[in-house]
Amino acid sequence: MKITDQLLKLSGTLAVHLDRSEATISNWVVGHARLFSRLRADLGCNTDTAEKALNWFDKNWPADLAWPADIPRPSKSKRAA
């Protein structure tokens, strides 16, 4: 799964869980509401933004929500290393 697909899945899952829009989640993650709409439009983002977003999800993921099994979680990779 591409990193953009992973970020869209994480944002969509979290948005539903918290009953918030993806624009709100995007604002929390990167400070503006356009990240996930850009990814949906296949406009992409730079690698620093993608890494920042993935790390934000890892650090801020709710304890009462299972992390998607098909997306490697960064903190688990660091523990294994």
Side-chain angles (χ1 to χ4, degrees), residues 21-81:
S21 70
E22 279 193 338
T24 297
I25 304 298
S26 179
N27 197 38
W28 293 345
V29 173
V30 293
H32 62 77
R34 299 176 307 277
L35 176 61
F36 303 118
S37 63
R38 287 183 51 79
L39 296 180
R40 260 188 223 300
D42 214 17
L43 297 174
C45 67
N46 68 45
T47 55
D48 288 341
T49 301
E51 186 175 326
K52 177 182 175 182
L54 189 58
N55 286 327
W56 185 94
F57 283 116
D58 186 34
K59 289 166 86 174
N60 295 283
W61 200 254
D64 64 335
L65 179 62
W67 182 270
D70 56 345
I71 299 175
R73 189 158 186 178
S75 61
K76 286 195 176 196
S77 298
K78 290 175 189 168
R79 278 183 250 156

